[in-house]
């Protein structure tokens, strides 16, 4: 039995087999080969695997988003089987005696260049598809494994590190736990694991070696331990621990249908944080009163290109309809820092935590922002919508945002598209916003405190940097004073004030937040019932 230590970011016990997640190498090797027949076979095997993956993706997309969106994976299968594409690869391997990766890369580049030179717009669009299928085959050739769904049963994902754009692609029903060698407890990947309600370890003392592939393991998210090939005694202990956790969860079921009210009679709005439309299942299952933070950027992270107005409208409408009149706070796009999206083509930054991010991207790329606002305003007729803007630092920004929202509303009205009622709020997650919250409050309906970033920017401690995890202290007096100031200023000007950062779920702080006058707490769905119990004890 092997025992490895990590830092737990979500409690719970999971047992299952390990899936070693490995990213593709970005550099393409160029090598001469002597055994061209063997190299051709390597290519054919990789191609078969890629076709299988594409078939699976087609079926998944067909189920989840419909035929039109799924078609692209059908087109990719046809391109991968195209005789010209395959002849070119075979010729580079057989005649030039080059390795398969290089043959696929060169063919992809040449065909893409040819497509780009065509007059027909549809054919020009195929250039990206050829590159896409070539990258898929190359990543299979160089041993990347990024598809846990390919495993026959749900798995424990073991990775060096995971970007939010990677975690968001996982089919949640196929993941039992996540263990990473790197990563930080405050990163968005850790937050996603919490939303998925699965045990998760970061900074684990383990290399994601393929030797672990398929081996039985247990993740103990209470103790921060990973057991590989657990012995009988450990297995029995873990099953007992899991039983205890399940029993505790079962007991919490009695909190369903109860009010989130303190002994003194103060009602706290207890909402949930989500990252996708599918997360609404967990929200309803845990009897949450609303959604306090829908991180809309995860919708963008899950797409290969800018999600259009229709796709976004459908997502927002679905969430609002499914919540049946309960409040849904949707945060506009918050990308940048650790949430990078290739198709935005943002330049590399020296200091991403202080970089081009969130509202500053939206106010620079108004086209992208307006598309999202149109989708949101159109969806407003389907439920109790509130729109929230991230990373605000000035009054000027809020004034400009309000003007843009008004312009979009008028534009939709001119098009005879109905717009419903909605609230407007901002995130307080920079010290600047907290300190001028007296000036910001009259401009909004509510504040939602983003304690993750508020801690990062108040303490000048990068939330992504694992070596600073011990210094990342959301209980720091400076952070708490900013929260108190924000809450007081909100109330002074008739706005309400909630917390949607991870600190909202910290039960040690619940009584203090209630004393401060916090009106709402928004936490990952799995924490809802326990927090309701805590509120009722206060
Ligand atoms: C926060 O900063 O606390 C927050 C809720 O936003 P995010 O974690 O997505 O940056
Ligand atoms: Mg934030």
């Amino acid at each position: 039995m092997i025992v490895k230590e990590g830092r737990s970011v979500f409690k719970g016990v999971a047992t299952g087999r390990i899936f070693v997640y490995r990213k593709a190498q970005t550099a393409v090797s160029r090598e001469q080969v002597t055994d061209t027949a063997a190299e051709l076979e390597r290519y054919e095997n990789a191609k078969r695997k890629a076709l299988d993956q594409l078939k699976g993706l087609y079926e998944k997309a067909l189920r989840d988003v419909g035929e039109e969106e799924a078609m692209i994976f059908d087109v990719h299968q046809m391109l991968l089987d195209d005789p010209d594409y395959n002849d070119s690869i075979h010729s580079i391997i057989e005649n030039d005696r080059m390795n398969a990766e290089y043959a696929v890369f060169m063919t992809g580049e040449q065909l893409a260049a040819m497509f780009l030179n065509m007059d027909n717009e549809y054919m020009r669009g195929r250039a990206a598809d050829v590159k896409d299928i070539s990258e898929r085959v190359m990543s299979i050739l160089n041993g990347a494994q990024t598809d846990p769904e390919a495993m026959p049963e749900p798995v424990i994902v073991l990775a060096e590190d995971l970007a939010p754009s990677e975690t968001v692609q996982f089919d949640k029903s196929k993941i039992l736990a996540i263990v990473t060698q790197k990563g930080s407890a405050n990163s968005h990947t850790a937050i996603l694991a919490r939303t998925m309600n699965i045990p998760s370890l970061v900074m684990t003392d383990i290399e994601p070696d393929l030797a672990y592939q398929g081996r039985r393991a247990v993740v103990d998210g209470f103790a921060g331990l990973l057991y590989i090939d657990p012995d009988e005694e450990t297995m029995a202990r873990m099953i007992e621990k899991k039983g205890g956790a399940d029993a505790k969860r079962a007991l919490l079921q009695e909190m369903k249908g109860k009010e989130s009210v303190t002994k003194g009679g103060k009602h706290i709005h207890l909402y949930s944080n989500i990252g996708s439309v599918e997360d609404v299942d967990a929200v309803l299952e845990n009897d949450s009163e609303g959604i306090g933070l829908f991180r809309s950027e995860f919708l963008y992270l899950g797409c290969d290109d800018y999600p259009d107005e229709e796709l976004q409208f459908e997502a927002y409408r679905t969430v609002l309809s499914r919540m049946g009149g309960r409040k849904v706070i949707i945060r506009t796009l918050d990308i940048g820092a650790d949430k990078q999206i290739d198709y935005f083509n943002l330049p590399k930054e020296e200091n991403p935590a202080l970089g081009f991010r969130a509202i500053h991207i939206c106010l620079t790329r108004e086209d992208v922002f307006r598309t999202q606002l149109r989708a949101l305003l159109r969806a407003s007729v389907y439920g109790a919508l509130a729109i929230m803007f991230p990373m605000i630092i000035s009054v000027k920004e809020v004034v400009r945002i309000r003007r843009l929202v008004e312009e979009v509303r008028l534009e939709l009205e001119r098009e005879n598209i109905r717009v419903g009622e909605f609230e407007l709020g901002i995130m307080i997650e920079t010290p600047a916003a907290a300190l001028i919250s007296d000036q910001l409050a009259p401009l909004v309906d509510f504040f939602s405190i983003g304690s993750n970033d508020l801690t990062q920017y108040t303490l000048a401690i990068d939330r992504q940097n694992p070596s600073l995890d011990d210094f990342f202290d959301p209980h720091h007096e400076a952070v708490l004073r900013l929260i108190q100031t924000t809450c007081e200023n909100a109330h002074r000007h008739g706005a309400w004030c909630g917390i949607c950062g991870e600190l909202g779920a910290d039960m040690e702080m619940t009584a203090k937040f209630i004393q401060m006058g916090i009106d709402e707490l928004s936490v990952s769905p799995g924490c809802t019932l326990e927090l309701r119990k805590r509120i009722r004890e206060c």
Side-chain angles (χ1 to χ4, degrees):
M1 176 172 77
I2 302 167
V3 186
K4 299 286 182 185
E5 233 177 282
R7 181 173 289 221
S8 173
V9 295
F10 194 76
K11 294 191 176 89
V13 176
T15 58
R17 294 196 184 275
I18 291 181
F19 173 82
V20 181
Y21 177 97
R22 301 181 64 176
K23 294 180 218 281
Q25 288 161 14
T26 40
V28 183
S29 63
R30 182 180 189 277
E31 286 158 33
Q32 287 272 309
V33 290
T34 43
D35 190 348
T36 54
E39 205 58 15
L40 276 176
E41 198 181 326
R42 268 186 78 226
Y43 166 66
E44 289 298 335
N45 284 339
K47 180 181 141 187
R48 252 194 311 277
K49 233 178 181 171
L51 283 169
D52 282 349
Q53 285 178 359
L54 288 165
K55 198 158 157 265
L57 285 169
Y58 174 79
E59 280 157 12
K60 182 170 186 286
L62 195 61
R63 265 195 324 271
D64 296 351
V65 283
E67 191 164 0
E68 206 176 317
E69 303 291 332
M71 271 309 288
I72 188 67
F73 299 115
D74 211 24
V75 172
H76 280 197
Q77 287 179 70
M78 285 192 295
L79 281 172
L80 191 49
D81 250 342
D82 178 76
D84 288 344
Y85 182 78
N86 284 279
D87 287 352
S88 162
I89 291 169
H90 277 238
S91 158
I92 297 174
I93 296 175
E94 278 181 318
N95 303 334
D96 303 345
R97 309 184 79 79
M98 298 308 294
N99 59 327
E101 287 88 336
Y102 180 75
V104 173
F105 172 73
M106 284 311 287
T107 301
E109 290 294 304
Q110 283 161 3
L111 278 183
M114 195 183 85
F115 279 131
L116 276 178
N117 273 329
M118 291 184 173
D119 288 337
N120 182 312
E121 196 184 338
Y122 175 81
M123 294 311 283
R124 276 203 303 277
R126 302 284 68 78
D129 295 323
V130 167
K131 282 197 167 184
D132 214 341
I133 56 161
S134 302
E135 270 164 27
R136 182 175 294 281
V137 179
M138 284 188 292
S139 76
I140 293 171
L141 282 166
N142 67 31
Q145 312 197 60
T146 53
D147 193 12
E149 284 99 79
M151 300 288 278
E153 53 188 280
V155 289
I156 295 169
V157 173
L158 172 62
E160 183 189 9
D161 201 0
L162 288 169
S165 56
E166 293 168 302
T167 316
V168 83
Q169 309 272 0
F170 293 154
D171 174 347
K172 292 170 194 150
S173 65
K174 296 287 180 73
I175 311 291
L176 299 166
I178 295 177
V179 178
T180 59
Q181 184 187 17
K182 297 183 178 164
S184 136
N186 310 298
S187 67
H188 283 95
T189 298
I191 289 172
L192 275 169
R194 276 178 219 129
T195 309
M196 287 157 83
N197 211 9
I198 55 171
S200 179
L201 311 182
V202 294
M203 297 162 75
T204 315
D205 163 34
I206 186 169
E207 297 272 342
D209 198 302
L210 277 178
Y212 297 122
Q213 187 74 293
R215 282 165 70 176
R216 194 152 273 293
V218 184
V219 178
D220 179 354
F222 293 99
L225 293 173
L226 167 70
Y227 299 94
I228 299 172
D229 306 328
D231 56 30
E232 270 180 36
E233 188 273 319
T234 307
M235 203 59 196
R237 215 163 26 83
M238 287 299 118
I239 288 172
E240 199 183 325
K241 208 169 192 176
K242 188 169 183 319
D246 290 348
K248 194 175 159 206
R249 210 176 8 256
L251 268 181
L252 283 172
Q253 299 304 305
E254 68 174 29
M255 284 292 129
K256 285 188 180 170
K258 297 216 164 121
E259 246 199 294
S260 307
V261 64
T262 65
K263 284 197 168 133
K266 174 160 166 91
H267 180 88
I268 303 294
H269 295 281
L270 182 52
Y271 295 162
S272 290
N273 295 347
I274 63 165
S276 71
V277 177
E278 297 82 65
D279 291 341
V280 176
D281 289 341
V283 175
L284 296 173
E285 223 171 87
N286 287 284
D287 189 37
S288 183
E289 293 163 33
I291 289 170
L293 168 63
F294 177 3
R295 289 181 163 95
S296 72
E297 58 275 12
F298 287 116
L299 201 74
Y300 291 69
L301 280 160
C303 294
D304 294 332
D305 203 346
Y306 294 97
D308 63 15
E309 182 181 319
E310 221 41 48
L311 188 144
Q312 292 192 58
F313 165 69
E314 269 311 315
Y316 306 147
R317 186 186 64 82
T318 308
V319 174
L320 282 157
S321 306
R322 290 202 63 201
M323 290 303 290
R326 294 184 232 188
K327 183 149 11 228
V328 175
I329 305 179
I330 303 181
R331 176 173 79 183
T332 58
L333 181 69
D334 179 8
I335 56 158
D338 61 324
K339 290 177 284 194
Q340 293 293 336
I341 303 183
D342 289 348
Y343 57 81
F344 270 79
N345 284 320
L346 299 175
K348 278 250 169 304
E349 294 174 313
E350 283 289 314
N351 199 348
L354 296 178
F356 197 36
R357 182 177 166 185
I359 200 68
H360 305 117
I361 294 179
C362 287
L363 291 176
T364 311
R365 296 281 314 271
E366 258 192 36
D367 53 332
V368 175
F369 195 30
R370 276 177 185 272
T371 303
Q372 182 168 35
L373 290 175
R374 278 181 63 96
L376 284 165
L377 265 56
R378 280 175 59 196
S380 62
V381 286
Y382 294 91
L385 173 69
I387 307 175
M388 172 159 82
F389 303 96
M391 296 298 292
I392 295 294
I393 55 171
S394 72
V395 167
K396 207 164 62 187
E397 285 165 357
V398 183
V399 170
R400 185 161 158 214
I401 291 166
R402 290 197 71 108
R403 202 168 50 228
L404 272 168
V405 171
E406 197 43 38
E407 278 173 26
V408 170
R409 183 212 294 273
L410 292 173
E411 184 179 279
L412 288 168
E413 278 172 11
R414 274 198 303 276
E415 294 168 29
N416 287 324
I417 298 174
R418 218 151 60 83
V419 176
E421 300 275 310
F422 54 88
E423 281 184 87
L424 286 181
I426 56 172
M427 300 236 2
I428 301 289
E429 49 186 347
T430 62
L435 290 169
I436 59 162
S437 51
D438 56 333
Q439 295 173 17
L440 294 169
L443 298 172
V444 297
D445 299 305
F446 67 94
F447 287 153
S448 187
I449 295 170
S451 54
N452 313 330
D453 279 315
L454 189 60
T455 305
Q456 154 164 269
Y457 296 120
T458 305
L459 306 183
I461 294 290
D462 183 352
R463 65 192 267 194
Q464 284 297 115
N465 187 336
S467 46
L468 290 171
D469 263 11
D470 288 340
F471 299 95
F472 187 91
D473 177 15
H475 293 182
H476 192 292
E477 183 62 24
V479 178
L480 299 183
R481 283 194 202 177
L482 290 174
I483 294 177
Q484 174 83 70
T485 303
T486 301
C487 190
E488 283 168 7
N489 282 329
H491 291 163
R492 210 166 279 146
H493 296 277
W496 58 266
C497 182
I499 301 179
C500 64
E502 298 300 289
L503 190 61
D506 183 339
M507 319 251 169
E508 264 179 54
M509 297 298 295
T510 312
K512 190 162 182 79
F513 292 147
I514 291 168
Q515 258 170 24
M516 282 183 179
I518 289 291
D519 304 289
E520 175 244 22
L521 292 170
S522 189
V523 299
S524 53
C527 296
T528 313
L529 295 174
E530 198 177 349
L531 184 55
R532 177 169 296 155
K533 183 165 178 286
R534 179 76 195 98
I535 291 168
R536 290 171 65 87
E537 287 161 3
C538 283

